[in-house]
Amino acid sequence: MQWPGTHPGLYQAENAKDSCGFGLIAHIHGQPSHRLVETACTALDRMTHRGAIAVDGKTGDGCGVLMALPVAFFRTVAAEADIWLGENFAVGLVFLSRDPEEAERSRDLLTRQLQNQMLEVAGWRDVPTDESVLGQLAADSLPLIQHVFVNAPPGWSEVDIERRLFVARRMASAENQAAEDGDATFHVATLSNLVTVYKGLVMPANLPEFFPDLKDARLESHICVFHQRFSTNTLPNWKYAQPFRFLAHNGEINTIEGNRSWSEARTPKFQTPLLPDLQKIRPLVNQDGSDSSSLDNMLELFLAGGMDVFRAMRILIPPAWQAEPDMAPDLKAFYEFNSMHVEPWDGPAGI
């Protein structure tokens, strides 16, 4: 197929269209179950046609499941690994280099930044995986995948813990990128006391095969977000598989270059006593990843700064409020006020 105005064989990113698939399933009364996780994985498999498949027939553009933190499951597997978890704990899914020395440096870096936030690394767990279901392209770039268990002091609220985890993760990432011998593989897919994610460059049908945890009857959740990626503005990469830390996205953000530029230009104005080290984790929004990952960066910044998720999302992706004559005056005033501070992340999209 030849796009209008192009020459045969020449790829133009601005003409690419996204066709990711995503969905959400939740128990209306908040009751966790393994059946819900199984259903999410089945639904993800039904969306295989929404993603691309590499020439090896087994490497996808990435898929995954984001779920509420399965507290009982993680306490059980941590105990099996002789890891003690306190009353308040968090779990991270971390991609590391396959080189033992590089991986150890990255673990030490993250541990030190967590300690700076008064958090304690309780231990590391090798995430069980079955590499036989991977295509050759995915296997060639496969990172070492581990869970990091983090204990927080008693009495801290969930929001306090999340904020400290956010700063530690971003500081570790910034230091790694600045280092001459930084690990290009090092990526904290999620680090939270509220949610966790299982994702990678696998076909949807093989996600529970690659991550046996997803088939473990002890793994229960009351809400799951699942995503099958069709990459357009970045090449397939383990870290760009979705869902991200807070969201899953389908579509294209047409204003992404402006959104990224404005986020960088306004960084000195982002100030809050809740994040005293905010200026040390620049750039706040990644400048070369997928548009979805940049949006996730912006969302998590707002949430860490104390904004509630509903307001944050309506600021980032507002409706066409200017042309809505029946909109309530106070709601219209809300959108008008916030339009002076943050530009919309605009484009055909589902979030």
Side-chain angles (χ1 to χ4, degrees), residues 234-295:
T234 55
L235 293 173
N237 188 303
W238 282 84
K239 68 180 180 180
Y240 291 146
Q242 296 189 43
F244 290 111
R245 301 178 186 97
F246 285 101
L247 58 79
H249 167 238
N250 164 43
E252 293 288 347
I253 300 173
N254 296 335
T255 57
I256 186 62
E257 290 189 19
N259 296 135
R260 287 169 172 166
S261 296
W262 275 116
S263 70
E264 181 65 14
R266 290 205 173 102
T267 292
K269 293 187 176 182
F270 286 126
Q271 297 180 4
T272 169
L274 298 175
L275 297 170
D277 296 324
L278 186 60
Q279 299 303 320
K280 297 180 181 179
I281 57 176
R282 300 177 67 166
L284 302 179
V285 172
N286 78 67
Q287 303 293 303
D288 55 8
S290 69
D291 52 358
S292 307
S293 64
S294 294
L295 176 59

Side-chain angles (χ1 to χ4, degrees), residues 26-344:
H27 192 284
I28 195 170
H29 298 301
Q31 180 179 334
S33 70
H34 182 65
R35 179 171 175 267
L36 190 138
V37 177
E38 287 182 317
T39 303
C41 291
T42 300
L44 178 62
D45 184 22
R46 298 293 190 267
M47 297 192 305
T48 301
H49 65 286
R50 298 304 299 271
I53 304 175
V55 68
D56 62 19
K58 295 176 67 177
T59 300
D61 274 356
C63 68
V65 177
L66 174 73
M67 68 186 75
L69 194 73
V71 174
F73 171 77
F74 279 132
R75 285 195 181 279
T76 299
V77 297
E80 292 172 350
D82 293 325
I83 298 172
W84 180 83
L85 296 180
E87 177 184 353
N88 296 326
F89 74 93
V91 180
L93 184 78
V94 186
F95 295 160
L96 298 161
S97 171
R98 306 291 291 190
D99 180 273
E101 292 185 1
E102 284 197 31
E104 188 61 29
R105 282 199 298 268
S106 298
R107 282 190 291 264
D108 290 344
L109 170 58
L110 183 59
T111 297
R112 176 162 44 81
Q113 292 297 345
L114 286 165
Q115 290 173 343
N116 290 343
Q117 297 299 319
M118 300 178 63
L119 298 166
E120 175 194 8
V121 172
W124 295 80
R125 173 199 185 223
D126 289 328
V127 179
T129 57
D130 180 0
E131 298 178 22
S132 68
V133 302
L134 296 179
Q136 189 60 50
L137 295 173
D140 289 345
S141 59
L142 174 66
L144 174 66
I145 305 176
Q146 292 190 321
H147 278 139
V148 57
F149 293 91
V150 180
N151 284 324
W156 282 19
S157 70
E158 290 180 339
V159 175
D160 290 334
I161 299 172
E162 283 292 291
R163 188 172 293 116
R164 298 279 186 143
L165 292 168
F166 165 77
V167 173
R169 173 176 59 78
R170 293 299 301 267
M171 293 287 280
S173 177
E175 184 174 340
N176 177 68
Q177 291 178 6
E180 290 186 6
D181 59 346
D183 178 6
T185 309
F186 176 55
H187 175 72
V188 184
T190 185
L191 181 57
S192 173
N193 71 332
L194 300 176
V195 298
T196 194
V197 69
Y198 288 87
K199 67 176 187 176
L201 292 184
V202 299
M203 299 302 294
N206 293 332
L207 188 69
E209 305 301 323
F210 181 70
F211 289 116
D213 281 358
L214 293 173
K215 297 192 293 182
D216 192 321
R218 300 171 298 178
L219 181 69
E220 299 180 325
S221 182
H222 67 278
I223 184 169
C224 291
V225 177
F226 45 93
H227 187 278
Q228 160 65 57
R229 186 170 188 244
F230 189 100
S231 71
T232 55
N233 51 25
T234 55
L235 293 173
N237 188 303
W238 282 84
K239 68 180 180 180
Y240 291 146
Q242 296 189 43
F244 290 111
R245 301 178 186 97
F246 285 101
L247 58 79
H249 167 238
N250 164 43
E252 293 288 347
I253 300 173
N254 296 335
T255 57
I256 186 62
E257 290 189 19
N259 296 135
R260 287 169 172 166
S261 296
W262 275 116
S263 70
E264 181 65 14
R266 290 205 173 102
T267 292
K269 293 187 176 182
F270 286 126
Q271 297 180 4
T272 169
L274 298 175
L275 297 170
D277 296 324
L278 186 60
Q279 299 303 320
K280 297 180 181 179
I281 57 176
R282 300 177 67 166
L284 302 179
V285 172
N286 78 67
Q287 303 293 303
D288 55 8
S290 69
D291 52 358
S292 307
S293 64
S294 294
L295 176 59
D296 190 73
N297 288 162
M298 199 73 216
L299 175 61
E300 69 174 353
L301 173 65
F302 283 168
L303 298 181
M307 192 178 295
D308 69 77
V309 67
F310 301 104
R311 183 184 181 199
M313 286 306 302
R314 298 320 281 164
I315 288 176
L316 291 171
I317 308 177
W321 57 271
Q322 301 95 329
E324 181 51 67
D326 298 324
M327 181 176 289
D330 56 345
L331 183 57
K332 196 166 188 175
F334 165 83
Y335 288 122
E336 184 175 9
F337 173 79
N338 286 292
S339 69
M340 297 183 290
H341 301 282
V342 177
E343 294 75 22

Side-chain angles (χ1 to χ4, degrees), residues 3 11-18 231-233 252:
W3 293 101
Y11 172 75
Q12 291 189 323
E14 64 270 20
N15 289 326
K17 304 300 178 186
D18 204 344
S231 71
T232 55
N233 51 25
E252 293 288 347

